[in-house]
Each structure stands twice: as structure tokens, then as C-alpha cells.
């Protein structure tokens, strides 16, 4: 498939970021062998055909490519004539800004600012596949009653009838308008989960098949593909009439019930094949991109899977994480969040506080680690956004619950500053959550992945180890005033006290 091979000798102490966000836990690339083929595989999270270097270099292609770090070389395999290897300056920030301006210029717009002011609340961990009107309202009432700020309520999978039947299930949601009105009166905005899959054999399926709105096999029969919820047909993203039909149904939900927007899930390149037949040829990656473009119609949107569309006003959440301390859980949030920003996805959100892998918390032997839950909330608090799902008041004692409320309140207090960074990102494309090496290129911070900067002047260093009551922080040059009133003069490395009640963060004076 690939017709071009480019070998790029690595410079001394050169490091690279990019490709698939899910590989953020292995970034920066350069100190060990690594490979990733982006065709048909985005790692079940965002991806972009971009690599950026700590030495100011970048690699870009409009098409997916394979890349590998082998020995002292970066090897790129792609389609002839599509790969651009360029030098945008001397540092990581130079490389990113050059690529952003040249290949995915920012749109000048952003998602609704409420995303950055207050937490999101998703029904998934509390209700999984069994949301009901009564449960959603009880969840919202409990949020407010327990001292959390109302925010964005996402009603997740199975609020509907069959997949593709974009109507509330009348048994589980007998009066959706009354539910939405009540949620909004409590201070919430309301989003619904949707996907591009269509349950086979139903009335909607028969209609879409007749209209040729579904992807087909070579023999003309509808594609029926396995995904995490079973076997379904798939909407053809290349068919403009099919996408218009889907959007009309979404718009009907906004008009009839006051729904504010949508969590547009799935659409991963892994669920498409190059042999799929649509209204025109398209790669699995392009089908993912076309699904993501649907979200541009709504200021309240959320994606977990996305191909390209960096610089656009789309909310990009990290993929579901485990209820664990390791790189399958809490330890992945910062490196993967940094990878989102360096891939051009500035409007990024961590996974649900405590982890969004619901199997971790529904097994009979499941136990919630209260300390882990609090550290998840603290780690999320100064991301551009934060999202709860598992109800903290249900699984935590009074002390741990108090610390989670404090994390949510911190996020809300910082909302005005985060909004300024959002507006800046909309114009410049720059990450809101920034790598240390992005802001301080001469500091030797390339391999630091357990602390980050919010903008250029707020240093955030969450505790990520079980039982830890202190942590070491690398401070860049300058005077840093801590959340606890302490002052640190950098550059230096300092061990700071961080009991469970504290998220260490510092403002550069």
C-alpha cells in the first residue's frame, strides 16, 4: 500500500511526539525502538498524521502513514508525494506552530465555554446500559445535593430504542421533555450518546438499506460488523444524504426536547475496512474523519475517536481508563493528555474520574480505592475539562468525598483563566495543557510526563503514586508561588508535601 520510504537521521537528544494519542504513555519517541501504522488504527482514541520534534522538525501527511524509530533513525512509509518533512524552527513549540499554521489552521471557534467552567457528568458508570428517566434525575439531584457544581449531563448508551433509532425508549424515558426541563432548571445542559451503527433487521435498517445509506460489501449486501455492543450495519459517511438524514434526527431531538448536543462515540477506523463500498471510495481513516465532522454542527459535542480535524471546535476525551494507578489508569492521563495537545487537539478532556472502564467497578469483587479516586479528581482538576461518572458520594467516605468536591470547585474557580486559554487556542491552535518542553525548551524536560503546564504560567504536579504524601517536582526558571503559599525559585528540583488533601500547583510570578 505504501509507495514511499523516508529515513530521517535523529539529531543529538532529539525527541518526537505524535501519531496516536493512546501512545502518549510511550512518548517522547527517540530513546527506544517503536513503531505505529496509522492506517486503519487510531488506538481507539484520537490520532493525527503528524509528528513534531524537540528540535523544531515536523512530519506531516494528508494520508495515514507508518512510522518507526529504529536505532538512530525515524523511518516513514507512506504514499508517494504526500509526506512533508520540514524544519519550523529550533524547538518543539516552533515545530508545532509551523505544522498547525500550515496543515490544520485553527478555526477561530471553540466548543461551548461551559465545558471549561464546570465539570461534566456522564451516566455510564452509574447506569451502564440501563439509564432511565428516574435514574438520570436522581443522579442530577444528588450531584447538587452533595455540593458539586451542576454542569453538563451526558446521558450515555441505551437511552434510545435500537441503534440508529434516534428516539427515547418510551418505557425507560416516558417524558423526555419534562426530564430535560428539570435538568436545565437544576443548572445542567444535556447531551445524548449516539453512534454510527445501525441495528440490523429493524425498520430503520430496512429504510437505510433501501436508500443505500449503509456501507456495503462488494456483492452489494450491507456490511454487518462486530463492535463492542454486538453486530451492526454502519452508516456511510461518504454519502451526504445519509449524513444529512442522521443530522436531521439529531436536530429533531434538540427541537423537540431541548437537547443541547451529543456525545458522538465509536467511528473508530478499526470498525471500517478498505473493502467497504460507499457512495465513493474512502479509507477507514476518512470514514472516522467524516463521522467527526458531524460534531462541528453542535457547540456541545464530545469525541473519543477522531482522525485529523485538529484545530477544530471539537471536545476530545481520553479513552476509557482502568481504576488503577498504572499506565492503564491514572498514570496515563498526563502523558496522553499532553499527546492530545501536541496532536492539535487543544480542547481535551481526561477520562472519567476514577476510570471509565465500567467492568472495573461492577464486578462482585470490585472495590473502589478512595485514595485513587481522589488523586484521579485532582489530576483532572486543572485539565481544560474534567468529567465525573461514578458517583463520588456513593463510593467514598465523607473525607474522600470532600477532597473530590474541592477538586471540582478548583476547576470551576479556574474557569475564567481556562477560558482565556481556550480563546487563545481557537486563534493560535496552541495546546491549553502544555508539555514542559513546549514552554521551556532549554530546560531538559523532554522526558517529563508526570507534570504539566496549564498555559505558560501554571505548573501542575498531581500525586500519581499510591500512599505518597509528597512528590518531587521539576521547576523551570522563575519564581513559582504554590497553592499552599510556598515560594520556589527555579530552576530546581524540590520535594514538596502533598497529603491526600493537596493537589500541588504553582503560578509563575
Amino acid at each position: 500500500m505504501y509507495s514511499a520510504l523516508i529515513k530521517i537521521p535523529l539529531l543529538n537528544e532529539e525527541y518526537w511526539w505524535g501519531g496516536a494519542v493512546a501512545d502518549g504513555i510511550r512518548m517522547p519517541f527517540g530513546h527506544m525502538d517503536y513503531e505505529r501504522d496509522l492506517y486503519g488504527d487510531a488506538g481507539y482514541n484520537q490520532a493525527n498524521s503528524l509528528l513534531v520534534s524537540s528540535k523544531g522538525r515536523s512530519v506531516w501527511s494528508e494520508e495515514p502513514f507508518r512510522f518507526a524509530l529504529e536505532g538512530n533513525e525515524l523511518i516513514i512509509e507512506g504514499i508517494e508525494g504526500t509526506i512533508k518533512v520540514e524544519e519550523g524552527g529550533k524547538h518543539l513549540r516552533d515545530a508545532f506552530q509551523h505544522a498547525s499554521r500550515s496543515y490544520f489552521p485553527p478555526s477561530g471557534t471553540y466548543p461551548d465555554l461551559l465545558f471549561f467552567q464546570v465539570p461534566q457528568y456522564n451516566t455510564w458508570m452509574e447506569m451502564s446500559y440501563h439509564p432511565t428517566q428516574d435514574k438520570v434525575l436522581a443522579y442530577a439531584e444528588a450531584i447538587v445535593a452533595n455540593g458539586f457544581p451542576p454542569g453538563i449531563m451526558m446521558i450515555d448508551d441505551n437511552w434510545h430504542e435500537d441503534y440508529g433509532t434516534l428516539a427515547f425508549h418510551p418505557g425507560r424515558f416516558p417524558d423526555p421533555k419534562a426530564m430535560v426541563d428539570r435538568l436545565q432548571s437544576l443548572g445542567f445542559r444535556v447531551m445524548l450518546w449516539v453512534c454510527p451503527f445501525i441495528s440490523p433487521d429493524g425498520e430503520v435498517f430496512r429504510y437505510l438499506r433501501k436508500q443505500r445509506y449503509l456501507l456495503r460489501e462488494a456483492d452489494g449486501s450491507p456490511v454487518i460488523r462486530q463492535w463492542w455492543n454486538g453486530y451492526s450495519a454502519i452508516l456511510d459517511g461518504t454519502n451526504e444524504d445519509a449524513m444529512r438524514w442522521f443530522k436531521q434526527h439529531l436536530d429533531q431531538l434538540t427541537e423537540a426536547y431541548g437537547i443541547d448536543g451529543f456525545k458522538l462515540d465509536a467511528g473508530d477506523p478499526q470498525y471500517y475496512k478498505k473493502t467497504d463500498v460507499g457512495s465513493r471510495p474512502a479509507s477507514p481513516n476518512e470514514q472516522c474523519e467524516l463521522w467527526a465532522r458531524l460534531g462541528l454542527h453542535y457547540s456541545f459535542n464530545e469525541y473519543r475517536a477522531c482522525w485529523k480535524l485538529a484545530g477544530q471546535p471539537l471536545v476530545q476525551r481520553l479513552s476509557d481508563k482502568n481504576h488503577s494507578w498504572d499506565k492503564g489508569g491514572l498514570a496515563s492521563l498526563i502523558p496522553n493528555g499532553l499527546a492530545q495537545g501536541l496532536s492539535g487537539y487543544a480542547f481535551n478532556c481526561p477520562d472519567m474520574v476514577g476510570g471509565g472502564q465500567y467492568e472495573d467497578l461492577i464486578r462482585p469483587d470490585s472495590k473502589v480505592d478512595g485514595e485513587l479516586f481522589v488523586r484521579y479528581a485532582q489530576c483532572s482538576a486543572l485539565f481544560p475539562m474534567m468529567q465525573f461518572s461514578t458517583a463520588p458520594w456513593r463510593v467514598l467516605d465523607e473525607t474522600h468525598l470532600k477532597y473530590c468536591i474541592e477538586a471540582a470547585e478548583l476547576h470551576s474557580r479556574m474557569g475564567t483563566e481556562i477560558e482565556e486559554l481556550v480563546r487563545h487556542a481557537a486563534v493560535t491552535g496552541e495546546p491549553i495543557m502544555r508539555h514542559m518542553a513546549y514552554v521551556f525548551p532549554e530546560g531538559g524536560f523532554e522526558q517529563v510526563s508526570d507534570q504539566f503546564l496549564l498555559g505558560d504560567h501554571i505548573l501542575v504536579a498531581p500525586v500519581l503514586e499510591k500512599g505518597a504524601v509528597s512528590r518531587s517536582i521539576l521547576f523551570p526558571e522563575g519564581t513559582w508561588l504554590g497553592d499552599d503559599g510556598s515560594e520556589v525559585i527555579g530552576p530546581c528540583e524540590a520535594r514538596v508535601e502533598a497529603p491526600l488533601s493537596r493537589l500541588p500547583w504553582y503560578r509563575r510570578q
Side-chain angles (χ1 to χ4, degrees):
M1 181 180 69
Y2 296 135
S3 54
L5 176 66
I6 299 173
K7 294 186 176 183
I8 305 169
L10 297 180
L11 302 176
N12 184 43
E13 297 185 345
E14 182 176 28
Y15 295 94
W16 292 81
W17 291 261
V21 162
D23 295 336
I25 55 175
R26 302 183 65 179
M27 296 177 198
F29 308 128
H31 54 286
M32 63 180 64
D33 288 357
Y34 170 85
E35 67 175 82
R36 162 71 76 173
D37 190 341
L38 295 170
Y39 185 89
D41 185 1
Y44 295 99
N45 220 169
Q46 300 87 26
N48 202 359
S49 46
L50 169 72
L51 299 172
V52 288
S53 149
S54 61
K55 298 295 185 181
R57 300 198 288 178
S58 64
V59 176
W60 170 262
S61 175
E62 290 293 336
E63 302 296 334
F65 56 76
R66 176 187 175 274
F67 68 98
L69 279 296
E70 295 179 6
N72 201 38
E73 288 184 322
L74 170 61
I75 302 170
I76 309 290
E77 293 181 81
I79 297 173
E80 189 74 39
T82 67
I83 301 168
K84 299 181 184 296
V85 181
E86 296 172 317
E87 186 170 328
K90 296 182 178 180
H91 304 300
L92 177 60
R93 195 169 203 159
D94 302 328
F96 178 85
Q97 290 180 326
H98 166 77
S100 174
R101 288 192 301 267
S102 302
Y103 305 116
F104 44 94
S107 67
T109 58
Y110 38 79
D112 194 281
L113 288 174
L114 194 65
F115 278 108
F116 310 96
Q117 300 166 344
V118 290
Q120 305 157 29
Y121 303 92
N122 188 291
T123 64
W124 177 243
M125 296 297 286
E126 288 297 293
M127 306 170 206
S128 61
Y129 294 103
H130 308 285
T132 67
Q133 181 167 326
D134 288 345
K135 288 180 184 178
V136 171
L137 288 173
Y139 183 47
E141 298 274 4
I143 289 168
V144 176
N146 282 279
F148 286 85
I152 297 169
M153 176 66 71
M154 297 182 181
I155 304 175
D156 214 280
D157 195 353
N158 223 24
W159 58 270
H160 44 74
E161 298 187 64
D162 290 341
Y163 295 110
T165 304
L166 297 170
F168 280 96
H169 190 287
R172 295 193 290 272
F173 292 86
D175 192 346
K177 184 65 167 65
M179 177 189 69
V180 174
D181 287 348
R182 176 57 180 158
L183 290 171
Q184 292 176 342
S185 74
L186 289 169
F188 292 91
R189 304 296 289 270
V190 185
M191 296 173 63
L192 297 177
W193 179 97
V194 296
C195 68
F197 294 104
I198 311 294
S199 296
D201 298 329
E203 182 178 354
V204 172
F205 170 81
R206 291 191 293 273
Y207 172 78
L208 297 178
R209 180 180 59 183
K210 183 177 180 180
Q211 299 298 122
R212 297 176 72 81
Y213 288 175
L214 302 174
L215 289 176
R216 303 180 299 280
E217 303 285 2
D219 64 4
S221 61
V223 165
I224 304 294
R225 186 146 301 142
Q226 185 176 12
W227 61 299
W228 70 75
N229 279 338
Y231 293 82
S232 298
I234 313 177
L235 201 69
D236 176 14
T238 68
N239 188 316
E240 293 182 4
D241 290 336
M243 298 305 284
R244 190 176 300 112
W245 170 87
F246 196 93
K247 181 181 178 297
Q248 285 172 350
H249 282 269
L250 298 186
D251 291 345
Q252 287 171 10
L253 290 165
T254 68
E255 294 161 7
Y257 306 116
I259 298 299
D260 296 290
F262 301 93
K263 173 180 176 178
L264 298 113
D265 205 2
D268 304 81
Q270 287 91 330
Y271 296 126
Y272 302 92
K273 294 183 178 179
K274 61 182 179 182
T275 55
D276 293 342
V277 178
S279 69
R280 63 171 177 80
S283 69
N285 298 65
E286 187 182 0
Q287 288 283 5
C288 178
E289 179 184 351
L290 291 167
W291 174 245
R293 287 188 178 279
L294 186 60
L296 297 175
H297 296 287
Y298 306 96
S299 62
F300 285 89
N301 65 71
E302 188 200 79
Y303 283 90
R304 173 196 48 76
C306 191
W307 171 251
K308 294 170 64 174
L309 293 190
Q312 298 300 309
L314 298 176
V315 171
Q316 304 286 1
R317 181 179 63 84
L318 288 180
S319 60
D320 297 0
K321 306 303 178 191
N322 298 327
H323 185 67
S324 66
W325 293 89
D326 58 22
K327 288 189 175 180
L330 176 62
S332 70
L333 295 189
I334 294 175
N336 287 11
L338 293 170
Q340 286 178 309
L342 289 173
S343 297
Y345 302 113
F347 309 121
N348 63 316
C349 181
D351 188 33
M352 304 161 185
V353 171
Q357 285 286 8
Y358 83 107
E359 295 93 342
D360 283 3
L361 296 176
I362 65 169
R363 297 189 306 269
D365 61 342
S366 296
K367 286 189 65 176
V368 173
D369 182 337
E371 179 189 0
L372 173 62
F373 204 98
V374 169
R375 295 304 194 188
Y376 247 107
Q378 292 173 343
C379 187
S380 303
L382 293 179
F383 269 64
M385 310 177 206
M386 73 182 305
Q387 184 175 122
F388 288 92
S389 187
T390 300
W393 55 89
R394 181 178 62 81
V395 300
L396 301 178
D397 61 30
E398 185 176 339
T399 299
H400 290 80
L401 174 60
K402 174 177 176 286
Y403 298 151
C404 285
I405 294 172
E406 289 173 355
E409 290 174 340
L410 172 62
H411 182 77
S412 294
R413 286 200 309 274
M414 297 294 287
T416 300
E417 289 189 61
I418 296 173
E419 284 178 30
E420 292 176 3
L421 293 168
V422 168
R423 291 188 174 94
H424 177 81
V427 174
T428 66
E430 286 203 281
I432 299 168
M433 174 183 179
R434 297 175 187 168
H435 199 287
M436 301 285 290
Y438 187 91
V439 180
F440 298 97
E442 304 295 342
F445 298 122
E446 287 80 8
Q447 296 188 66
V448 177
S449 60
D450 64 348
Q451 56 187 69
F452 64 93
L453 290 155
L454 180 62
D456 281 354
H457 302 293
I458 295 176
L459 174 61
V460 188
V463 173
L464 305 174
E465 296 181 3
K466 185 173 179 60
V469 292
S470 66
R471 66 153 291 170
S472 180
I473 302 177
L474 291 170
F475 289 90
E477 61 183 359
T479 301
W480 298 87
L481 183 63
D483 61 289
D484 61 351
S486 63
E487 185 176 275
V488 179
I489 308 298
C492 69
E493 181 174 359
R495 178 158 289 276
V496 306
E497 296 301 311
L500 188 58
S501 59
R502 184 186 182 205
L503 162 65
W505 65 277
Y506 296 78
R507 186 185 299 276
R508 192 182 191 207
Q509 300 302 294

